[in-house]
Amino acid sequence: MSNNNPEFRAAWSAVPDVVHAETQLRKLEERRSALGDVLSPDLARRKVFDDAVAAMRAGAEFPDDIGKRAADAYRGALEAELEALALNEGVWSLRAHLEYLRSTDGAETALEALGKRLTEFLVEVKKPAADLNGARSAEEAIQRGGGAPAAWKTLTDMLGALRNIRQAQFDILRPLGDGHRLQELREKGYFEASGITPDGVPDDIMRAMTSGHYDVNYLVYISSLPNVWVPTSFDALEAEDITDCGVPDDSVVDYTPRERIIPAPLEPVRHGHERNPDISLK
């Protein structure tokens, strides 16, 4: 997988197996490129015959060693063809192996390295953030003077690094789970920090957090948060989401035994004309 994001490449450089596979892949790709187009053995042999016939028609003698020439051409082309096949096989195999490494345990190591990089980056943000003197725009920074204008420019330049870190995070996490679900979690803000409670985040910060459209104010804000993170697995990110249990399903029958109280029977009502039945023998 070709990825020119420096933060992505730096994160994977913390995984020795990936570094080795990438190095070997690069060497094989360079060898295959240097080999160029390879003539098949049959075509190489055919070319020797055609050249000899063309030379004879032009007045030259037909070569006495035509067989050796054809055999040498065939053998040379066969070796080149087999080398090209071997290099193609090696390149394909290493690419598949890299994809495997990037979707298994190696991803956790890379994400840990990226998380460390994010922490160090946010420490770097704190110094120019303090020099802003509360400015929330370039115009305000100019009005405040001092080190504020230079700090605003420095922080503006640092936004690219934040974007690269988060894009690397997305690209490393994507093979570990469902890409659509990953994007959904990102749009909820869980991608940026753990324990997100939207009610406690200013609206403009929440918009940047859920859209990935970062600005200086967002960068300054998150540099002061203790819960900014890079999750080390897709499951860890998924666990941040709170599942809505919804309305209970009334169609489910509850067979739990219940105590039922049977009321005592009512006393008979007397009307005055009742009599006992005569049951004597006649």
Side-chain angles (χ1 to χ4, degrees), residues 190-239:
Y190 304 127
F191 196 79
E192 305 275 331
S194 61
I196 285 297
T197 53
D199 292 342
V201 180
D203 290 343
D204 61 328
I205 300 300
M206 198 65 197
R207 281 193 297 271
M209 184 175 287
T210 56
S211 68
H213 296 153
Y214 307 129
D215 57 18
V216 170
N217 292 324
Y218 178 73
L219 183 56
V220 172
Y221 181 88
I222 65 168
S223 70
S224 65
L225 294 181
N227 57 337
V228 179
W229 74 333
V230 171
T232 55
S233 69
F234 195 94
D235 290 341
L237 181 62
E238 186 79 80

mmCIF file of all heavy atoms in Angstrom, residues 190-239:
data_model
loop_
_atom_site.group_PDB
_atom_site.id
_atom_site.type_symbol
_atom_site.label_atom_id
_atom_site.label_comp_id
_atom_site.label_asym_id
_atom_site.label_seq_id
_atom_site.Cartn_x
_atom_site.Cartn_y
_atom_site.Cartn_z
ATOM 1 N N TYR A 190 -15.360 10.635 18.669
ATOM 2 C CA TYR A 190 -14.612 9.655 19.452
ATOM 3 C C TYR A 190 -13.201 9.443 18.898
ATOM 4 O O TYR A 190 -12.314 8.974 19.599
ATOM 5 C CB TYR A 190 -15.353 8.317 19.466
ATOM 6 C CG TYR A 190 -16.762 8.416 19.984
ATOM 7 C CD1 TYR A 190 -17.836 7.920 19.248
ATOM 8 C CD2 TYR A 190 -17.032 9.024 21.207
ATOM 9 C CE1 TYR A 190 -19.133 8.024 19.723
ATOM 10 C CE2 TYR A 190 -18.329 9.127 21.683
ATOM 11 C CZ TYR A 190 -19.370 8.625 20.933
ATOM 12 O OH TYR A 190 -20.652 8.728 21.397
ATOM 13 N N PHE A 191 -13.033 9.769 17.649
ATOM 14 C CA PHE A 191 -11.754 9.612 16.966
ATOM 15 C C PHE A 191 -10.673 10.514 17.560
ATOM 16 O O PHE A 191 -9.485 10.196 17.518
ATOM 17 C CB PHE A 191 -11.981 9.965 15.496
ATOM 18 C CG PHE A 191 -10.907 9.522 14.550
ATOM 19 C CD1 PHE A 191 -10.847 8.203 14.127
ATOM 20 C CD2 PHE A 191 -9.971 10.412 14.064
ATOM 21 C CE1 PHE A 191 -9.873 7.789 13.236
ATOM 22 C CE2 PHE A 191 -8.997 10.016 13.175
ATOM 23 C CZ PHE A 191 -8.951 8.695 12.761
ATOM 24 N N GLU A 192 -11.095 11.639 18.128
ATOM 25 C CA GLU A 192 -10.164 12.672 18.582
ATOM 26 C C GLU A 192 -9.801 12.550 20.056
ATOM 27 O O GLU A 192 -8.662 12.828 20.435
ATOM 28 C CB GLU A 192 -10.770 14.054 18.333
ATOM 29 C CG GLU A 192 -11.195 14.302 16.905
ATOM 30 C CD GLU A 192 -10.048 14.797 16.036
ATOM 31 O OE1 GLU A 192 -9.147 15.446 16.575
ATOM 32 O OE2 GLU A 192 -10.065 14.529 14.822
ATOM 33 N N ALA A 193 -10.760 12.183 20.888
ATOM 34 C CA ALA A 193 -10.507 12.143 22.329
ATOM 35 C C ALA A 193 -11.411 11.093 22.963
ATOM 36 O O ALA A 193 -12.486 10.786 22.450
ATOM 37 C CB ALA A 193 -10.765 13.512 22.952
ATOM 38 N N SER A 194 -10.961 10.532 24.061
ATOM 39 C CA SER A 194 -11.764 9.539 24.769
ATOM 40 C C SER A 194 -12.712 10.240 25.737
ATOM 41 O O SER A 194 -12.451 11.364 26.178
ATOM 42 C CB SER A 194 -10.853 8.574 25.527
ATOM 43 O OG SER A 194 -10.088 9.278 26.483
ATOM 44 N N GLY A 195 -13.815 9.545 26.056
ATOM 45 C CA GLY A 195 -14.770 10.092 27.023
ATOM 46 C C GLY A 195 -15.423 11.384 26.590
ATOM 47 O O GLY A 195 -15.665 12.271 27.415
ATOM 48 N N ILE A 196 -15.717 11.493 25.301
ATOM 49 C CA ILE A 196 -16.317 12.725 24.780
ATOM 50 C C ILE A 196 -17.745 12.890 25.318
ATOM 51 O O ILE A 196 -18.558 11.972 25.267
ATOM 52 C CB ILE A 196 -16.346 12.690 23.244
ATOM 53 C CG1 ILE A 196 -14.955 12.945 22.693
ATOM 54 C CG2 ILE A 196 -17.303 13.739 22.689
ATOM 55 C CD1 ILE A 196 -14.415 14.307 23.034
ATOM 56 N N THR A 197 -18.041 14.064 25.845
ATOM 57 C CA THR A 197 -19.404 14.437 26.227
ATOM 58 C C THR A 197 -19.726 15.732 25.496
ATOM 59 O O THR A 197 -19.256 16.809 25.887
ATOM 60 C CB THR A 197 -19.516 14.652 27.753
ATOM 61 O OG1 THR A 197 -18.507 15.587 28.159
ATOM 62 C CG2 THR A 197 -19.314 13.360 28.505
ATOM 63 N N PRO A 198 -20.468 15.645 24.406
ATOM 64 C CA PRO A 198 -20.718 16.823 23.557
ATOM 65 C C PRO A 198 -21.212 18.041 24.310
ATOM 66 O O PRO A 198 -20.886 19.174 23.945
ATOM 67 C CB PRO A 198 -21.778 16.303 22.576
ATOM 68 C CG PRO A 198 -21.537 14.825 22.513
ATOM 69 C CD PRO A 198 -21.107 14.428 23.901
ATOM 70 N N ASP A 199 -21.974 17.851 25.395
ATOM 71 C CA ASP A 199 -22.509 19.003 26.129
ATOM 72 C C ASP A 199 -21.407 19.832 26.774
ATOM 73 O O ASP A 199 -21.597 21.022 27.049
ATOM 74 C CB ASP A 199 -23.480 18.522 27.211
ATOM 75 C CG ASP A 199 -24.737 17.915 26.607
ATOM 76 O OD1 ASP A 199 -24.992 18.177 25.418
ATOM 77 O OD2 ASP A 199 -25.440 17.181 27.318
ATOM 78 N N GLY A 200 -20.246 19.212 26.998
ATOM 79 C CA GLY A 200 -19.170 19.933 27.663
ATOM 80 C C GLY A 200 -18.148 20.525 26.723
ATOM 81 O O GLY A 200 -17.119 21.022 27.171
ATOM 82 N N VAL A 201 -18.412 20.474 25.412
ATOM 83 C CA VAL A 201 -17.457 20.970 24.408
ATOM 84 C C VAL A 201 -18.087 22.150 23.667
ATOM 85 O O VAL A 201 -19.230 22.057 23.215
ATOM 86 C CB VAL A 201 -17.091 19.859 23.405
ATOM 87 C CG1 VAL A 201 -16.109 20.369 22.367
ATOM 88 C CG2 VAL A 201 -16.504 18.652 24.137
ATOM 89 N N PRO A 202 -17.367 23.268 23.525
ATOM 90 C CA PRO A 202 -17.912 24.413 22.766
ATOM 91 C C PRO A 202 -18.304 23.996 21.350
ATOM 92 O O PRO A 202 -17.684 23.103 20.758
ATOM 93 C CB PRO A 202 -16.745 25.408 22.745
ATOM 94 C CG PRO A 202 -15.922 25.053 23.946
ATOM 95 C CD PRO A 202 -16.041 23.559 24.097
ATOM 96 N N ASP A 203 -19.307 24.658 20.802
ATOM 97 C CA ASP A 203 -19.857 24.275 19.503
ATOM 98 C C ASP A 203 -18.809 24.307 18.398
ATOM 99 O O ASP A 203 -18.740 23.391 17.572
ATOM 100 C CB ASP A 203 -21.030 25.191 19.133
ATOM 101 C CG ASP A 203 -22.249 24.954 20.010
ATOM 102 O OD1 ASP A 203 -22.291 23.880 20.667
ATOM 103 O OD2 ASP A 203 -23.140 25.807 20.050
ATOM 104 N N ASP A 204 -17.981 25.376 18.348
ATOM 105 C CA ASP A 204 -17.010 25.474 17.268
ATOM 106 C C ASP A 204 -15.943 24.381 17.379
ATOM 107 O O ASP A 204 -15.469 23.851 16.373
ATOM 108 C CB ASP A 204 -16.360 26.859 17.251
ATOM 109 C CG ASP A 204 -15.615 27.171 18.547
ATOM 110 O OD1 ASP A 204 -16.051 26.691 19.619
ATOM 111 O OD2 ASP A 204 -14.595 27.883 18.500
ATOM 112 N N ILE A 205 -15.594 24.020 18.615
ATOM 113 C CA ILE A 205 -14.619 22.953 18.830
ATOM 114 C C ILE A 205 -15.219 21.610 18.431
ATOM 115 O O ILE A 205 -14.561 20.780 17.800
ATOM 116 C CB ILE A 205 -14.160 22.916 20.299
ATOM 117 C CG1 ILE A 205 -13.516 24.243 20.684
ATOM 118 C CG2 ILE A 205 -13.222 21.752 20.540
ATOM 119 C CD1 ILE A 205 -12.296 24.610 19.868
ATOM 120 N N MET A 206 -16.486 21.405 18.777
ATOM 121 C CA MET A 206 -17.155 20.146 18.437
ATOM 122 C C MET A 206 -17.268 19.990 16.927
ATOM 123 O O MET A 206 -17.111 18.888 16.393
ATOM 124 C CB MET A 206 -18.540 20.102 19.094
ATOM 125 C CG MET A 206 -19.132 18.691 19.163
ATOM 126 S SD MET A 206 -18.153 17.616 20.232
ATOM 127 C CE MET A 206 -18.753 16.003 19.726
ATOM 128 N N ARG A 207 -17.525 21.090 16.219
ATOM 129 C CA ARG A 207 -17.618 21.022 14.762
ATOM 130 C C ARG A 207 -16.282 20.612 14.152
ATOM 131 O O ARG A 207 -16.235 19.789 13.245
ATOM 132 C CB ARG A 207 -18.076 22.375 14.199
ATOM 133 C CG ARG A 207 -19.562 22.636 14.309
ATOM 134 C CD ARG A 207 -19.993 23.822 13.459
ATOM 135 N NE ARG A 207 -19.370 25.059 13.905
ATOM 136 C CZ ARG A 207 -19.901 25.855 14.827
ATOM 137 N NH1 ARG A 207 -21.048 25.546 15.387
ATOM 138 N NH2 ARG A 207 -19.275 26.979 15.174
ATOM 139 N N ALA A 208 -15.205 21.197 14.659
ATOM 140 C CA ALA A 208 -13.880 20.829 14.152
ATOM 141 C C ALA A 208 -13.549 19.384 14.500
ATOM 142 O O ALA A 208 -12.984 18.636 13.690
ATOM 143 C CB ALA A 208 -12.825 21.760 14.743
ATOM 144 N N MET A 209 -13.935 18.957 15.687
ATOM 145 C CA MET A 209 -13.639 17.611 16.155
ATOM 146 C C MET A 209 -14.353 16.550 15.334
ATOM 147 O O MET A 209 -13.806 15.485 15.045
ATOM 148 C CB MET A 209 -14.039 17.489 17.634
ATOM 149 C CG MET A 209 -13.703 16.166 18.282
ATOM 150 S SD MET A 209 -14.083 16.174 20.055
ATOM 151 C CE MET A 209 -12.778 17.223 20.693
ATOM 152 N N THR A 210 -15.566 16.832 14.932
ATOM 153 C CA THR A 210 -16.363 15.845 14.210
ATOM 154 C C THR A 210 -16.206 15.924 12.696
ATOM 155 O O THR A 210 -16.608 15.013 11.985
ATOM 156 C CB THR A 210 -17.850 16.003 14.563
ATOM 157 O OG1 THR A 210 -18.263 17.347 14.291
ATOM 158 C CG2 THR A 210 -18.103 15.693 16.025
ATOM 159 N N SER A 211 -15.626 17.028 12.204
ATOM 160 C CA SER A 211 -15.471 17.191 10.752
ATOM 161 C C SER A 211 -14.033 17.016 10.282
ATOM 162 O O SER A 211 -13.786 16.720 9.112
ATOM 163 C CB SER A 211 -15.967 18.577 10.321
ATOM 164 O OG SER A 211 -15.103 19.595 10.826
ATOM 165 N N GLY A 212 -13.070 17.233 11.196
ATOM 166 C CA GLY A 212 -11.671 17.162 10.799
ATOM 167 C C GLY A 212 -11.184 18.430 10.133
ATOM 168 O O GLY A 212 -10.066 18.476 9.617
ATOM 169 N N HIS A 213 -12.004 19.481 10.135
ATOM 170 C CA HIS A 213 -11.604 20.775 9.568
ATOM 171 C C HIS A 213 -10.992 21.604 10.698
ATOM 172 O O HIS A 213 -11.675 22.375 11.367
ATOM 173 C CB HIS A 213 -12.810 21.487 8.946
ATOM 174 C CG HIS A 213 -13.387 20.747 7.793
ATOM 175 N ND1 HIS A 213 -14.714 20.855 7.432
ATOM 176 C CD2 HIS A 213 -12.834 19.866 6.923
ATOM 177 C CE1 HIS A 213 -14.950 20.090 6.370
ATOM 178 N NE2 HIS A 213 -13.817 19.470 6.059
ATOM 179 N N TYR A 214 -9.704 21.415 10.909
ATOM 180 C CA TYR A 214 -9.040 22.009 12.053
ATOM 181 C C TYR A 214 -8.656 23.468 11.812
ATOM 182 O O TYR A 214 -8.370 23.856 10.681
ATOM 183 C CB TYR A 214 -7.778 21.214 12.395
ATOM 184 C CG TYR A 214 -8.019 19.735 12.566
ATOM 185 C CD1 TYR A 214 -7.239 18.800 11.899
ATOM 186 C CD2 TYR A 214 -9.023 19.264 13.414
ATOM 187 C CE1 TYR A 214 -7.456 17.440 12.055
ATOM 188 C CE2 TYR A 214 -9.247 17.911 13.574
ATOM 189 C CZ TYR A 214 -8.458 16.997 12.891
ATOM 190 O OH TYR A 214 -8.678 15.663 13.046
ATOM 191 N N ASP A 215 -8.631 24.232 12.900
ATOM 192 C CA ASP A 215 -8.122 25.600 12.851
ATOM 193 C C ASP A 215 -7.269 25.830 14.088
ATOM 194 O O ASP A 215 -7.118 24.945 14.938
ATOM 195 C CB ASP A 215 -9.263 26.616 12.740
ATOM 196 C CG ASP A 215 -10.271 26.510 13.879
ATOM 197 O OD1 ASP A 215 -9.937 25.908 14.930
ATOM 198 O OD2 ASP A 215 -11.384 27.040 13.747
ATOM 199 N N VAL A 216 -6.705 27.036 14.190
ATOM 200 C CA VAL A 216 -5.802 27.338 15.300
ATOM 201 C C VAL A 216 -6.519 27.227 16.638
ATOM 202 O O VAL A 216 -5.976 26.699 17.613
ATOM 203 C CB VAL A 216 -5.180 28.731 15.119
ATOM 204 C CG1 VAL A 216 -4.424 29.160 16.377
ATOM 205 C CG2 VAL A 216 -4.252 28.746 13.914
ATOM 206 N N ASN A 217 -7.740 27.725 16.708
ATOM 207 C CA ASN A 217 -8.476 27.674 17.974
ATOM 208 C C ASN A 217 -8.685 26.239 18.439
ATOM 209 O O ASN A 217 -8.605 25.944 19.641
ATOM 210 C CB ASN A 217 -9.827 28.378 17.831
ATOM 211 C CG ASN A 217 -9.668 29.874 17.647
ATOM 212 O OD1 ASN A 217 -8.779 30.485 18.226
ATOM 213 N ND2 ASN A 217 -10.519 30.468 16.820
ATOM 214 N N TYR A 218 -8.968 25.353 17.503
ATOM 215 C CA TYR A 218 -9.136 23.942 17.872
ATOM 216 C C TYR A 218 -7.824 23.350 18.370
ATOM 217 O O TYR A 218 -7.779 22.630 19.372
ATOM 218 C CB TYR A 218 -9.648 23.146 16.672
ATOM 219 C CG TYR A 218 -9.800 21.672 16.973
ATOM 220 C CD1 TYR A 218 -10.839 21.222 17.786
ATOM 221 C CD2 TYR A 218 -8.908 20.742 16.464
ATOM 222 C CE1 TYR A 218 -10.978 19.877 18.081
ATOM 223 C CE2 TYR A 218 -9.041 19.397 16.753
ATOM 224 C CZ TYR A 218 -10.077 18.957 17.556
ATOM 225 O OH TYR A 218 -10.209 17.632 17.859
ATOM 226 N N LEU A 219 -6.738 23.669 17.675
ATOM 227 C CA LEU A 219 -5.427 23.160 18.055
ATOM 228 C C LEU A 219 -5.058 23.615 19.465
ATOM 229 O O LEU A 219 -4.567 22.819 20.279
ATOM 230 C CB LEU A 219 -4.384 23.631 17.046
ATOM 231 C CG LEU A 219 -2.945 23.130 17.227
ATOM 232 C CD1 LEU A 219 -2.885 21.622 17.257
ATOM 233 C CD2 LEU A 219 -2.070 23.678 16.107
ATOM 234 N N VAL A 220 -5.294 24.880 19.762
ATOM 235 C CA VAL A 220 -4.994 25.412 21.091
ATOM 236 C C VAL A 220 -5.865 24.727 22.145
ATOM 237 O O VAL A 220 -5.393 24.371 23.233
ATOM 238 C CB VAL A 220 -5.211 26.942 21.125
ATOM 239 C CG1 VAL A 220 -5.103 27.479 22.551
ATOM 240 C CG2 VAL A 220 -4.208 27.632 20.216
ATOM 241 N N TYR A 221 -7.140 24.518 21.821
ATOM 242 C CA TYR A 221 -8.073 23.919 22.778
ATOM 243 C C TYR A 221 -7.648 22.491 23.137
ATOM 244 O O TYR A 221 -7.565 22.140 24.317
ATOM 245 C CB TYR A 221 -9.481 23.922 22.191
ATOM 246 C CG TYR A 221 -10.532 23.349 23.115
ATOM 247 C CD1 TYR A 221 -11.191 24.162 24.031
ATOM 248 C CD2 TYR A 221 -10.882 21.995 23.060
ATOM 249 C CE1 TYR A 221 -12.160 23.640 24.888
ATOM 250 C CE2 TYR A 221 -11.837 21.471 23.904
ATOM 251 C CZ TYR A 221 -12.481 22.293 24.820
ATOM 252 O OH TYR A 221 -13.422 21.772 25.666
ATOM 253 N N ILE A 222 -7.372 21.664 22.134
ATOM 254 C CA ILE A 222 -7.067 20.259 22.439
ATOM 255 C C ILE A 222 -5.699 20.100 23.089
ATOM 256 O O ILE A 222 -5.445 19.093 23.765
ATOM 257 C CB ILE A 222 -7.159 19.361 21.183
ATOM 258 C CG1 ILE A 222 -6.087 19.736 20.160
ATOM 259 C CG2 ILE A 222 -8.552 19.393 20.591
ATOM 260 C CD1 ILE A 222 -5.952 18.708 19.049
ATOM 261 N N SER A 223 -4.821 21.089 22.915
ATOM 262 C CA SER A 223 -3.509 20.979 23.557
ATOM 263 C C SER A 223 -3.625 21.048 25.074
ATOM 264 O O SER A 223 -2.704 20.670 25.791
ATOM 265 C CB SER A 223 -2.582 22.082 23.051
ATOM 266 O OG SER A 223 -2.984 23.356 23.529
ATOM 267 N N SER A 224 -4.773 21.527 25.557
ATOM 268 C CA SER A 224 -4.980 21.636 27.012
ATOM 269 C C SER A 224 -5.817 20.494 27.574
ATOM 270 O O SER A 224 -6.025 20.426 28.792
ATOM 271 C CB SER A 224 -5.665 22.971 27.334
ATOM 272 O OG SER A 224 -6.979 23.008 26.782
ATOM 273 N N LEU A 225 -6.297 19.601 26.720
ATOM 274 C CA LEU A 225 -7.147 18.503 27.178
ATOM 275 C C LEU A 225 -6.311 17.302 27.623
ATOM 276 O O LEU A 225 -5.292 16.985 27.010
ATOM 277 C CB LEU A 225 -8.093 18.061 26.064
ATOM 278 C CG LEU A 225 -9.163 19.057 25.601
ATOM 279 C CD1 LEU A 225 -10.018 18.429 24.515
ATOM 280 C CD2 LEU A 225 -10.034 19.504 26.761
ATOM 281 N N PRO A 226 -6.754 16.593 28.670
ATOM 282 C CA PRO A 226 -6.019 15.414 29.130
ATOM 283 C C PRO A 226 -6.419 14.128 28.401
ATOM 284 O O PRO A 226 -5.747 13.107 28.535
ATOM 285 C CB PRO A 226 -6.405 15.332 30.609
ATOM 286 C CG PRO A 226 -7.810 15.883 30.641
ATOM 287 C CD PRO A 226 -7.859 16.959 29.587
ATOM 288 N N ASN A 227 -7.515 14.169 27.643
ATOM 289 C CA ASN A 227 -8.059 12.934 27.071
ATOM 290 C C ASN A 227 -7.908 12.826 25.553
ATOM 291 O O ASN A 227 -8.544 11.987 24.920
ATOM 292 C CB ASN A 227 -9.539 12.794 27.431
ATOM 293 C CG ASN A 227 -10.370 13.985 26.965
ATOM 294 O OD1 ASN A 227 -9.844 15.064 26.757
ATOM 295 N ND2 ASN A 227 -11.665 13.785 26.812
ATOM 296 N N VAL A 228 -7.087 13.683 24.947
ATOM 297 C CA VAL A 228 -6.818 13.555 23.512
ATOM 298 C C VAL A 228 -6.021 12.273 23.306
ATOM 299 O O VAL A 228 -5.068 12.003 24.042
ATOM 300 C CB VAL A 228 -6.032 14.769 22.991
ATOM 301 C CG1 VAL A 228 -5.724 14.619 21.515
ATOM 302 C CG2 VAL A 228 -6.830 16.043 23.226
ATOM 303 N N TRP A 229 -6.380 11.475 22.306
ATOM 304 C CA TRP A 229 -5.764 10.154 22.188
ATOM 305 C C TRP A 229 -5.665 9.668 20.756
ATOM 306 O O TRP A 229 -6.231 10.252 19.834
ATOM 307 C CB TRP A 229 -6.561 9.143 23.011
ATOM 308 C CG TRP A 229 -7.886 8.744 22.397
ATOM 309 C CD1 TRP A 229 -8.672 9.471 21.549
ATOM 310 C CD2 TRP A 229 -8.575 7.493 22.591
ATOM 311 N NE1 TRP A 229 -9.819 8.778 21.215
ATOM 312 C CE2 TRP A 229 -9.779 7.562 21.829
ATOM 313 C CE3 TRP A 229 -8.317 6.345 23.317
ATOM 314 C CZ2 TRP A 229 -10.698 6.499 21.794
ATOM 315 C CZ3 TRP A 229 -9.234 5.304 23.281
ATOM 316 C CH2 TRP A 229 -10.414 5.382 22.535
ATOM 317 N N VAL A 230 -4.942 8.553 20.610
ATOM 318 C CA VAL A 230 -4.983 7.710 19.424
ATOM 319 C C VAL A 230 -5.351 6.320 19.928
ATOM 320 O O VAL A 230 -4.551 5.688 20.628
ATOM 321 C CB VAL A 230 -3.628 7.663 18.693
ATOM 322 C CG1 VAL A 230 -3.654 6.603 17.602
ATOM 323 C CG2 VAL A 230 -3.289 9.013 18.080
ATOM 324 N N PRO A 231 -6.559 5.842 19.654
ATOM 325 C CA PRO A 231 -6.945 4.503 20.142
ATOM 326 C C PRO A 231 -6.027 3.437 19.559
ATOM 327 O O PRO A 231 -5.632 3.525 18.401
ATOM 328 C CB PRO A 231 -8.385 4.342 19.637
ATOM 329 C CG PRO A 231 -8.513 5.328 18.513
ATOM 330 C CD PRO A 231 -7.614 6.468 18.842
ATOM 331 N N THR A 232 -5.694 2.428 20.350
ATOM 332 C CA THR A 232 -4.753 1.408 19.892
ATOM 333 C C THR A 232 -5.425 0.239 19.184
ATOM 334 O O THR A 232 -4.747 -0.697 18.771
ATOM 335 C CB THR A 232 -3.928 0.865 21.073
ATOM 336 O OG1 THR A 232 -4.827 0.380 22.089
ATOM 337 C CG2 THR A 232 -3.066 1.962 21.666
ATOM 338 N N SER A 233 -6.749 0.294 19.046
ATOM 339 C CA SER A 233 -7.457 -0.764 18.314
ATOM 340 C C SER A 233 -8.815 -0.236 17.882
ATOM 341 O O SER A 233 -9.311 0.773 18.413
ATOM 342 C CB SER A 233 -7.641 -2.007 19.183
ATOM 343 O OG SER A 233 -8.559 -1.750 20.240
ATOM 344 N N PHE A 234 -9.426 -0.938 16.942
ATOM 345 C CA PHE A 234 -10.767 -0.573 16.498
ATOM 346 C C PHE A 234 -11.764 -0.812 17.633
ATOM 347 O O PHE A 234 -12.704 -0.042 17.827
ATOM 348 C CB PHE A 234 -11.152 -1.415 15.279
ATOM 349 C CG PHE A 234 -12.338 -0.876 14.527
ATOM 350 C CD1 PHE A 234 -12.163 -0.032 13.437
ATOM 351 C CD2 PHE A 234 -13.632 -1.200 14.902
ATOM 352 C CE1 PHE A 234 -13.246 0.472 12.746
ATOM 353 C CE2 PHE A 234 -14.729 -0.696 14.214
ATOM 354 C CZ PHE A 234 -14.533 0.134 13.124
ATOM 355 N N ASP A 235 -11.541 -1.883 18.401
ATOM 356 C CA ASP A 235 -12.449 -2.195 19.509
ATOM 357 C C ASP A 235 -12.436 -1.097 20.569
ATOM 358 O O ASP A 235 -13.474 -0.772 21.144
ATOM 359 C CB ASP A 235 -12.062 -3.536 20.141
ATOM 360 C CG ASP A 235 -12.363 -4.714 19.231
ATOM 361 O OD1 ASP A 235 -13.178 -4.547 18.306
ATOM 362 O OD2 ASP A 235 -11.781 -5.795 19.441
ATOM 363 N N ALA A 236 -11.234 -0.546 20.839
ATOM 364 C CA ALA A 236 -11.146 0.527 21.828
ATOM 365 C C ALA A 236 -11.933 1.745 21.369
ATOM 366 O O ALA A 236 -12.600 2.416 22.169
ATOM 367 C CB ALA A 236 -9.688 0.897 22.067
ATOM 368 N N LEU A 237 -11.867 2.036 20.086
ATOM 369 C CA LEU A 237 -12.624 3.159 19.534
ATOM 370 C C LEU A 237 -14.118 2.865 19.583
ATOM 371 O O LEU A 237 -14.927 3.727 19.945
ATOM 372 C CB LEU A 237 -12.178 3.414 18.095
ATOM 373 C CG LEU A 237 -12.850 4.568 17.350
ATOM 374 C CD1 LEU A 237 -12.571 5.889 18.044
ATOM 375 C CD2 LEU A 237 -12.355 4.616 15.909
ATOM 376 N N GLU A 238 -14.490 1.655 19.230
ATOM 377 C CA GLU A 238 -15.894 1.248 19.233
ATOM 378 C C GLU A 238 -16.491 1.343 20.635
ATOM 379 O O GLU A 238 -17.654 1.712 20.815
ATOM 380 C CB GLU A 238 -16.011 -0.186 18.714
ATOM 381 C CG GLU A 238 -17.420 -0.685 18.524
ATOM 382 C CD GLU A 238 -18.060 -0.169 17.250
ATOM 383 O OE1 GLU A 238 -17.794 -0.712 16.178
ATOM 384 O OE2 GLU A 238 -18.848 0.799 17.368
ATOM 385 N N ALA A 239 -15.687 1.022 21.646
ATOM 386 C CA ALA A 239 -16.177 1.028 23.029
ATOM 387 C C ALA A 239 -16.540 2.429 23.507
ATOM 388 O O ALA A 239 -17.265 2.569 24.497
ATOM 389 C CB ALA A 239 -15.118 0.431 23.951
#
